[in-house]
Amino acid sequence: NAVKFTPAGGTVAVRLEAVAVANSPSPNYVQITVSDTGKGISPEFLPYVFDRFRQADGSITRADSGLGLGLAIVRHLVELHGGTVRAESPGKDLGATFTVMLPLKQRRSKQPQLREERQLAPVNPGILAGLKVLIVDDEPDNREFLVVALEQLGATATAAASAAEAIDILQQSPPDILVSDIGMPVEDGYSLIRKVRSSEADKIKRLPAVALTAYASQQDRDRAIDAGYDEHLTKPIDSARFAAVLAKLNVPK
């Protein structure tokens, strides 16, 4: 919002600091402050800025898009973490400041810390050396993250933004493994894997495939496997699990 409502030449500042509240002898909260010199908030609207479906300009011809849900979601998420969020503004065209307070996690006992470190042991960076992987995801950030993660593991990754783009790549240069999101516009991951499994090209038809999706229930897993995927992994991705699954699928049958 700070970027959206601050015109060219304006300033957006983000500050992060540990603070002590409620007479704590040491910092017990993290404070995130986002300040801008943009559009600002009128005194009349300020008390309602975190309400659902409330916008300073609610007309159908308003210049700024949105449903008035963003800040309501922010407040909900912050409160779920035991924190608070507040908004301040001197008035219209005078900028705004949003401050989020989140409680710092308490230090765990020594034993659980050691156990957690073992679980998060680093993955062998060359475990996927030489493997060619096609990533299919409509979200640019997800594609970029997966490409970087795979390259760090030694693989060569190609990314497609849609099922149609993936089919073109498969026909031109089939990879060793396909990793696809399920929920995508126009054509989803289920449709993609059905086309792969019905391909006349044997190398495409038998291509090992992984569904990497936010749909995490047992029913979602069963549906993905029934559609033709060999494995079902859930987001957010666990790098060690991801690498292990791809390495297993790359073993010649």
Side-chain angles (χ1 to χ4, degrees), residues 27-231:
N28 57 349
Y29 274 77
V30 61
Q31 179 173 286
I32 307 162
T33 306
V34 182
S35 302
D36 64 68
T37 58
K39 189 174 180 179
I41 307 168
S42 69
E44 296 78 17
F45 184 69
L46 193 59
Y48 309 104
V49 72
F50 293 105
D51 289 357
R52 288 181 297 172
F53 303 112
R54 292 294 294 266
Q55 294 175 311
D57 179 4
S59 67
I60 195 171
T61 57
R62 64 180 183 272
D64 300 303
S65 61
L67 295 174
L69 283 173
L71 290 176
I73 293 171
V74 167
R75 182 177 67 176
H76 182 63
L77 290 174
V78 169
E79 290 177 349
L80 284 174
H81 286 282
T84 61
V85 59
R86 70 178 187 271
E88 301 168 283
S89 176
K92 187 177 179 181
D93 297 323
L94 295 175
T97 298
F98 286 80
T99 303
V100 173
M101 298 281 288
L102 295 171
L104 286 168
K105 293 176 65 175
Q106 298 298 314
R107 184 178 296 276
R108 296 180 179 179
S109 65
K110 193 171 184 179
Q111 185 66 22
Q113 280 184 327
L114 292 174
R115 185 161 56 245
E116 183 177 7
E117 287 171 4
R118 284 196 296 270
Q119 292 173 347
L120 299 178
V123 181
N124 178 359
I127 190 173
L128 302 180
L131 188 69
K132 294 188 295 183
V133 183
L134 173 59
I135 299 295
V136 189
D137 198 306
D138 62 302
E139 290 290 339
D141 289 345
N142 290 342
R143 293 197 303 273
E144 181 177 356
F145 169 77
L146 289 170
V147 167
V148 171
L150 285 166
E151 290 177 346
Q152 289 176 344
L153 294 170
T156 300
T158 303
S162 66
E165 184 179 347
I167 292 296
D168 288 340
I169 294 173
L170 287 171
Q171 292 173 343
Q172 295 173 18
S173 179
D176 299 313
I177 292 180
L178 168 69
V179 177
S180 178
D181 188 18
I182 294 295
M184 297 184 290
V186 183
E187 190 173 3
D188 62 21
Y190 298 122
S191 174
L192 171 60
I193 195 62
R194 291 190 197 101
K195 288 184 176 179
V196 169
R197 296 297 177 233
S198 62
S199 173
E200 295 180 358
D202 191 64
K203 187 171 183 179
I204 296 176
K205 184 176 184 177
R206 299 181 181 277
L207 183 69
V210 177
L212 180 59
T213 173
Y215 299 130
S217 71
Q218 183 61 44
Q219 183 179 1
D220 294 322
R221 183 187 187 282
D222 293 343
R223 185 180 177 189
I225 300 301
D226 290 343
Y229 287 99
D230 298 286
E231 291 283 352

